[in-house]
Amino acid sequence: MRIRELALDLSPLRAGGPLGLVLATRALALLCIGLTSVGVVVQVYEQTGSSVQVGAVSLVLGAGLLLGFLVGGVLADRRDRRALILVGSGWAVVTFAALSANAAADRPALWVVYLAGALFGFTEGVAETALTAVVPSLVSEEHIPATGALVTVTTTLGAIAGPMLGGVLIVGPGLAATFGIAAAGTAITTLLLTRLGPMPPTGARPAGSKGSEPPTPAGVGQPGVLDALREGFAFIRTSRVVAAVLVVDLCAALFATPTALYPQFADERFGGGPELVGQLTTAPVIGAAVASLASGWTGRTRHQWRVLCAAVAVWGLACLGFGLSPLLGFGLFFLALGGMADTISEIMRRTLLMRHTPDPLQGRVSSLWLAQAMTAPALGGVLAGLAASAVGPSTAVAAGGALCVGSLCLVALLYPQLWRETGESTEHESDGAQDVPAGDGGPGSNSGATAAT
């Protein structure tokens, strides 16, 4: 493999279309969210001196996100996805401006932070689900893997740049200015997004319809919210690829989540303080950035499932190595390696989910994946903490890595036919596909199961 073939594949952007605008606005939006997230944590701790209060604000935001993901998944399969994204972006401007005004007040009100966090979490969950659902329809089938890599890169860059810049701004201009800059940046993203045309979900053809009949319009004869979510679960059960991807993701998040143990590791294992926690936190982010920028090869691989399994296995082994590392240098190396593996696995997850989910179900499948991605690591952190209290942090992390690899092997045995998967958008292996409700885009009504248009 030549070195230039490792470079990030930009062919989806060179193909034209609105993808470039969507990714640019996403990167700016994530940057602004990063500014705000750091600002909220600092403000709450300065006002209360309580880590419990900081955790409570995060819990409120997480609850709003979870609800937004679930509701947004249904809406994104029924309404114009561009409108949902614009509503979320516009509300973020209002939220960040309110936080700025509150921070500039003589006596900032804590309830404003809680209320803003809850409302922003909900609308952001709706908007992020709609954005995730619309991306596959912006590119051709051949560009889906490279597009997954580009989306992952914007996420990684936002995760790095937002908090870093937020810390600098808080020390400099202050909290009010930080929130104000986030509001202004988000206003720019909202204006840019207005340049996009309508993006309604593609209607699914009812079962038994003739090829000449028009597709069923989105929103016609559709079930209630709970029934719609049940249909999303039904599709996941009948799609071996989608189900396997979500199960592998869940195993990695539950068993191999060492982040919550970084402070204890820094203190008990490596004899350091808060600055060492920062190094442990930064190492996987650096690995993720390197993997993102050298992800060009991921768009050319035909065996996404195999690559996904290999990446998750490396992530589990990296956690095992980190847990057993006697020296800080070895620990940082394994964390960076884990960050690289996690990024590759995310690219493969996005690619497989986009490729094997029909457009009328993109919203609900995306919402369920995003909800799992938010809640599973939190639960994994709790499990890691309980294990560390019983056997110590090193053994807990090492055992978690081993469980990750073991559970991956079990999933691979349960889905042996996926090892023949070659990147084609087919779901013929789904035995129960005919059970997906008619008109909802299950494999029986869309044999290609592709989201690209």
Side-chain angles (χ1 to χ4, degrees):
M1 182 181 294
R2 298 176 181 177
I3 294 179
R4 67 170 178 265
E5 293 179 345
L6 294 174
L8 185 65
D9 187 356
L10 302 178
S11 58
L13 299 178
R14 289 193 292 267
L19 179 64
L21 177 61
V22 170
L23 292 180
T25 54
R26 172 181 170 80
L28 180 56
L30 289 172
L31 176 66
C32 296
I33 291 173
L35 298 180
T36 305
S37 63
V38 173
V40 166
V41 168
V42 171
Q43 180 180 359
V44 171
Y45 190 78
E46 285 183 350
Q47 285 189 232
T48 65
S50 170
S51 296
V52 174
Q53 289 276 19
V54 174
V57 170
S58 299
L59 181 62
V60 168
L61 174 63
L65 277 171
L66 180 59
L67 182 60
F69 287 151
L70 297 178
V71 174
V74 176
L75 293 178
D77 288 339
R78 298 183 175 186
R79 303 287 185 263
D80 180 16
R81 292 163 178 170
R82 168 183 173 269
L84 296 175
I85 298 170
L86 282 172
V87 169
S89 182
W91 181 253
V93 176
V94 176
T95 302
F96 297 163
L99 288 172
S100 178
N102 182 59
D106 294 334
R107 300 182 63 183
L110 195 60
W111 67 266
V112 172
V113 180
Y114 275 92
L115 180 61
L119 295 177
F120 169 73
F122 177 77
T123 55
E124 175 61 19
V126 173
E128 179 65 18
T129 302
L131 179 63
T132 304
V134 82
V135 166
S137 66
L138 304 179
V139 296
S140 62
E141 169 74 15
E142 62 181 307
H143 287 146
I144 283 181
T147 301
L150 289 171
V151 173
T152 302
V153 167
T154 60
T155 304
T156 303
L157 292 178
I160 297 173
M164 288 178 60
L165 182 58
V168 173
L169 291 175
I170 292 170
V171 174
L175 277 170
T178 301
F179 291 136
I181 292 172
T186 307
I188 294 174
T189 67
T190 306
L191 292 175
L192 291 174
L193 288 170
T194 58
R195 298 172 56 185
L196 297 173
M199 295 178 173
T202 301
R205 193 178 304 282
S209 64
K210 302 294 185 182
S212 59
E213 295 177 6
T216 301
V220 175
Q222 292 177 328
V225 173
L226 293 180
D227 288 336
L229 287 175
R230 279 194 289 268
E231 289 171 3
F233 279 112
F235 169 75
I236 292 174
R237 287 197 304 271
T238 59
S239 170
R240 287 190 175 92
V241 173
V242 174
V245 169
L246 294 180
V247 171
V248 166
D249 192 21
L250 180 63
C251 291
L254 284 179
F255 300 134
T257 307
T259 309
L261 302 183
Y262 286 167
Q264 190 174 359
F265 250 91
D267 179 34
E268 298 181 8
R269 183 74 170 183
F270 300 124
E275 73 286 347
L276 190 52
V277 176
Q279 294 182 42
L280 297 176
T281 305
T282 303
V285 176
I286 293 175
V290 172
S292 297
L293 297 177
S295 61
W297 63 273
T298 61
R300 289 181 287 273
T301 181
R302 298 178 66 241
H303 300 284
Q304 285 105 11
W305 171 251
R306 299 181 190 180
V307 175
L308 171 62
C309 290
V312 173
V314 172
W315 166 248
L317 292 174
C319 289
L320 175 63
F322 172 66
L324 300 178
S325 295
L327 300 175
L328 175 61
F330 286 116
L332 294 176
F333 166 77
F334 282 116
L335 287 177
L337 179 63
M340 296 176 66
D342 187 51
T343 296
I344 298 302
S345 71
E346 182 178 347
I347 292 173
M348 293 299 104
R349 291 194 302 268
R350 286 185 182 275
T351 299
L352 288 166
L353 291 178
M354 287 192 297
R355 175 164 272 165
H356 291 274
T357 304
D359 191 79
L361 280 163
Q362 280 285 345
R364 277 163 286 178
V365 172
S366 297
S367 71
L368 295 173
W369 177 48
L370 291 170
Q372 174 180 290
M374 185 194 73
T375 56
L379 180 57
V382 173
L383 295 177
L386 293 174
S389 64
V391 298
S394 298
T395 303
V397 172
L403 283 172
C404 174
V405 176
S407 61
L408 171 65
C409 294
L410 178 60
V411 174
L413 291 174
L414 291 175
Y415 297 93
Q417 67 278 11
L418 295 188
W419 291 96
R420 300 188 298 272
E421 193 271 336
T422 58
E424 300 296 328
S425 299
T426 56
E427 281 293 314
H428 297 299
E429 77 280 1
S430 180
D431 298 331
Q434 67 271 19
D435 296 329
V436 178
D440 203 31
S445 61
N446 186 4
S447 61
T450 177
T453 58

